[in-house]
Structures are given as C-alpha cells and as structure tokens.
C-alpha cells in the first residue's frame, strides 16, 4: 500500500518568512496529492491539491510542487502570518482511492 | 460554514452506554467516510460508504457499527466502548470513491470521551 513520509514534524518561523513542508510517497501510480490544514480544535480543511499531470500549482501565498520521478511533493507558504499556524497534513491515494495521510507538520509562525 | 454537519459536537459516555454519532451532507456526494483522530495524529480511516453501500471496513472493532440510511446521512453507532476509543471522530464526504480522487470535505467532528 501507499506509504507517505512527511517532514519536518515541527517547523517554527518568524512572520514574513517562508515555510516548506515535504512529503514522499511510495506508489508511483499515485496521481493526486492534497494538502490539509488543521487549526487547533478544528476540522482538516483542503488548502491546495495537485494532480500528476502538472509540476506546480499556486494559490496566492501557497504553492505545491510535485516531482514524480523522485516521488515527492512539497508545500510552500510565502510571507507567513500568525494565522498560518496549524498542523498541515499531506496525503496520497491508496489503490482503493482512499487517502493515506502523512504524520503532520506543526507550523508555528511567531509575530 | 462547514458543508458536512456532525452531531453532537461533544459526547461523554460510559463503557456500558449506547450512543450514535450523526453526519449529514447535501453536496450530492456519493462517498462518505468515518475517520478517527487522536491528538497530534493524522486522521485514521475507519469506514467508507460508496453509493450507500459499505465498501471499506479498516478492521474496526464491532463495538463501532456504521450505517448509511440514505445518500445524505451517515451514522456511527457506539456500544461498549473502551477509554482508548476516546478521540475526535470525523465524518467526510467526496464526490465518489475512485472517481479521479476527488477532495475530502470534513465535518467539524465529534469529540468523544469514554469514561
């Protein structure tokens, strides 16, 4: 089955800095890679996703890059703000099309 | 506003109680999911319903019993739970399982405490 590794487990940055979270996956057939943000006490929310026919996707301060050859994808957040503080989960599909989640990255943005 | 509604928000139950968690969505999604999430851990898949039929059971103990009365509703019946079952239970939906990997939409969850 699909195995997703996520790093780092915690990330502390100063407001205005960039943050990068990386995930690797094992199944070369995987073709869909979402990122979820979960604020404390709240539900996971999809913030961006990418399909395997593109290498990069941007949405304002958030971008995701995909390297199919190396089987890794990354979340990039620029000009971080305190409200970006949350746990971020990457995910990749299993053969039954359900998602396998990474272990999560706790991002702390200090003012 | 969340498009997937879960009730109750919080539930405290004893080990001999029977209770149910409820989930509702009106997005026309045909796949619905139950996830369990422990603190500082990712969501862990429990059950998947596809077109109102149970398609995946991740070897969940029988003290958890899912039910899908119709395409908009999903229930999780709880009986004789253990303290280690205390967790956040998340319902989610998507357009359809296996349909080009459509995004999951999560509800706000039910915070369950088993005493």
């Amino acid at each position: 089955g699909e195995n997703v590794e996520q790093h780092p487990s915690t990330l502390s940055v100063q407001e205005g800095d960039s943050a990068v979270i990386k995930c690797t996956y094992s199944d070369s057939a995987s073709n869909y890679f979402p990122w979820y943000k979960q604020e404390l006490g709240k539900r996971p929310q999809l913030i961006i996703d990418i399909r395997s026919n593109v290498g990069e996707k941007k949405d304002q301060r958030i971008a995701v890059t995909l390297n199919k050859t190396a089987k890794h994808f990354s979340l990039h957040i620029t000009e971080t703000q305190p409200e970006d503080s949350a746990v971020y989960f990457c995910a990749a599909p299993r053969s039954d099309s359900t998602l396998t989640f990474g272990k999560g990255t706790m991002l702390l943005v200090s003012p | 506003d969340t498009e997937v509604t879960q009730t109750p928000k919080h539930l405290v139950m004893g080990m001999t109680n029977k209770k149910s968690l409820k989930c509702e969505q009106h997005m026309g999604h045909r796949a619905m999911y139950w996830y369990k999430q422990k603190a500082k851990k990712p969501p862990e898949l429990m059950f998947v319903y596809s077109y109102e039929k149970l398609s995946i059971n991740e070897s969940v103990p029988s003290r958890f019993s899912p039910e899908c009365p119709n395409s908009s509703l999903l229930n999780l019946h709880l009986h004789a739970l253990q303290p280690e079952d205390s967790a956040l239970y998340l319902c989610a939906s998507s357009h359809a399982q296996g349909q080009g990997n459509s995004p999951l939409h999560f509800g706000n969850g039910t915070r369950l405490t088993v005493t």
Side-chain angles (χ1 to χ4, degrees), chain A residues 5-100:
Chain A
E5 299 283 340
Q6 183 172 347
H7 298 281
S9 56
T10 59
L11 179 58
S12 294
V13 300
Q14 290 292 120
E15 183 176 1
D17 288 350
S18 295
V20 180
I21 303 170
K22 298 182 179 180
C23 287
T24 61
Y25 60 97
S26 58
D27 187 351
S28 57
S30 292
N31 58 3
Y32 173 68
F33 306 94
W35 286 91
Y36 287 84
K37 174 184 180 182
Q38 188 173 25
E39 297 177 47
L40 189 63
K42 297 193 176 181
R43 62 191 172 101
Q45 286 190 277
L46 179 73
I47 56 171
I48 196 167
D49 56 11
I50 191 169
R51 297 185 187 275
S52 58
N53 57 345
V54 296
E56 184 176 8
K57 183 177 177 180
K58 287 184 180 180
D59 182 3
Q60 300 182 335
R61 296 187 296 108
I62 293 172
V64 56
T65 58
L66 172 64
N67 183 325
K68 288 177 60 180
T69 303
K71 291 190 283 188
H72 66 72
F73 57 110
S74 300
L75 178 70
H76 305 253
I77 305 174
T78 57
E79 300 172 31
T80 53
Q81 300 167 4
E83 51 264 40
D84 294 329
S85 296
V87 178
Y88 291 81
F89 293 101
C90 64
R94 308 185 321 189
S95 58
D96 59 12
S97 297
T98 61
L99 292 175
T100 295

Side-chain angles (χ1 to χ4, degrees), chain B residues 2 9 14-15 23 32 36 43 48 58 66 79 82 89-90 100:
Chain B
T2 179
K9 291 184 180 180
M15 290 187 284
C23 176
M32 296 187 76
K36 173 183 177 180
V48 182
E58 291 284 286
H79 173 56
Q82 304 296 312
Y89 287 84
L90 292 161

Side-chain angles (χ1 to χ4, degrees), chain B residues 47-109:
Chain B
F47 302 103
V48 182
Y49 274 83
S50 179
Y51 291 89
E52 300 160 51
K53 292 189 185 326
L54 183 65
S55 64
I56 295 175
N57 176 341
E58 291 284 286
S59 302
V60 179
S62 60
R63 57 186 184 269
F64 296 91
S65 176
E67 178 195 18
C68 188
N70 60 54
S71 61
S72 300
L73 295 175
L74 185 67
N75 299 322
L76 186 63
H77 302 297
L78 314 173
H79 173 56
L81 294 194
Q82 304 296 312
E84 58 265 29
D85 296 322
S86 298
L88 180 67
Y89 287 84
L90 292 161
C91 175
S93 69
S94 68
H95 284 290
Q97 182 189 354
Q99 193 181 65
N101 304 122
S102 55
L104 283 175
H105 296 253
F106 285 95
N108 285 327

